[in-house]
Amino acid sequence: MRRSLALFLPVTMLVLELNASAHAAAPTDPQPLIENAPGARVAGYLNFCIGNGLAPVADATRLLDLLIARTGAVPADERGNMDYALGTAGVIRPATQADGLRLTDLDMPRRHVACTQVLTKAAMAS
């Protein structure tokens, strides 16, 4: 029992270190991904920003309503739009990809920058 525990702890520490290194090395610049996001995803990001106090509610809600109408982000058949759902969850790059990224992975100043970019993109689309 002691021998297996002695092997387990170093392996566990190595895995933790590798995971931390991979996370630290992952690119965290969301700007190009937001810039190239489809309209429904931008609507979702805007919804995320509003819900997390990262965008002015009155102006952003008006833009959100326009963007939803323009992109069909919330379809009448209630089947949903995956881009809108991912954006609302703050998913910039899904975790199924090697370097998944969410808005919540960013520190607060970078979240504000990302939400400002989302507001600008939404305003240009409406």
Side-chain angles (χ1 to χ4, degrees):
M1 182 90 167
R2 285 185 180 168
R3 182 178 286 177
S4 62
L5 184 58
L7 290 173
F8 177 74
L9 289 176
V11 170
T12 302
M13 295 305 293
L14 177 62
V15 169
L16 291 174
E17 287 176 28
L18 289 174
N19 284 340
S21 297
H23 189 358
T28 58
D29 184 8
Q31 292 182 343
L33 299 166
I34 292 170
E35 189 58 40
N36 293 313
R41 179 83 58 102
V42 173
Y45 291 150
L46 192 52
N47 191 30
F48 174 92
C49 294
I50 293 167
N52 286 281
L54 299 167
V57 175
D59 293 334
T61 301
R62 182 185 61 77
L63 286 174
L64 178 61
D65 290 342
L66 291 170
L67 203 52
I68 286 173
R70 178 166 289 188
T71 64
V74 182
D77 66 6
E78 297 182 13
R79 288 183 169 248
N81 181 310
M82 195 53 142
D83 277 320
Y84 182 72
L86 288 169
T88 295
V91 176
I92 298 170
R93 190 172 27 240
T96 55
Q97 297 177 6
D99 51 356
L101 180 63
R102 298 172 59 100
L103 286 168
T104 54
D105 293 336
L106 306 174
D107 61 20
M108 287 307 285
R110 295 192 67 189
R111 286 185 210 176
H112 281 284
V113 168
C115 286
T116 299
Q117 180 186 4
V118 167
L119 276 167
T120 301
K121 184 167 171 89
M124 291 178 6
S126 59

